[in-house]
């Protein structure tokens, strides 16, 4: 049986130091705002958290199992709409008649 590591904030900081990486550097490399990974680290920026997990080579759901709700960015999860909605516009005849003044 394999056990997954619990990624506490301290464990993430330790891994960043071990790999000689910074939150700002990871955000820049991912093309995000410099604060994105710091915000992701505390749970307020999903893209920053995803970049952080990718840079450390850890699956996102393993690093942040409870911080972010499952959503459209999770692999294997589709949208709640199983099929695309048809256009809301209906093909009705255009009324070209004008009122008599």
């Amino acid at each position: 049986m394999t056990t997954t590591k619990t990624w506490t904030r301290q464990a993430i900081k330790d891994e960043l130091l071990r790999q000689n990486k910074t939150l700002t550097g990871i955000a820049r490399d991912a093309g995000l705002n410099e604060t994105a990974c710091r915000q992701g680290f505390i749970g307020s920026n999903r893209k920053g958290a995803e970049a952080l997990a990718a840079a450390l080579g850890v699956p996102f759901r393993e690093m942040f199992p409870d911080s972010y709700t499952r959503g459209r960015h999770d692999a294997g999860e589709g949208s709640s709409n199983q099929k695309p909605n048809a256009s809301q516009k209906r093909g009705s005849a255009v009324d070209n008649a004008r009122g008599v003044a």
Side-chain angles (χ1 to χ4, degrees):
M1 171 186 255
T2 60
T3 58
T4 58
K5 181 176 181 176
T6 302
W7 288 96
T8 62
R9 288 184 183 180
Q10 188 59 49
I12 294 170
K13 287 179 184 180
D14 292 343
E15 188 63 20
L16 285 167
L17 286 173
R18 190 182 75 72
Q19 293 188 21
N20 197 27
K21 295 182 179 182
T22 64
L23 294 172
T24 301
I26 292 169
R28 284 182 188 157
D29 291 345
L32 301 172
N33 186 299
E34 291 182 353
T35 63
C37 287
R38 284 192 295 274
Q39 292 169 347
F41 183 71
I42 62 170
S44 63
N45 187 315
R46 169 96 185 215
K47 287 186 179 185
E50 289 173 343
L52 176 59
L56 296 181
V58 178
F60 178 77
R61 275 286 147 225
E62 183 180 322
M63 184 173 278
F64 301 102
D66 301 322
S67 297
Y68 295 90
T69 58
R70 295 187 77 76
R72 66 185 177 96
H73 296 291
D74 291 316
E77 291 290 319
S79 101
S80 60
N81 297 330
Q82 295 301 320
K83 58 184 177 180
N85 291 336
S87 174
Q88 297 299 313
K89 295 180 181 180
R90 300 286 181 221
S92 61
V94 178
D95 184 12
N96 289 328
R98 296 181 185 239
V100 177

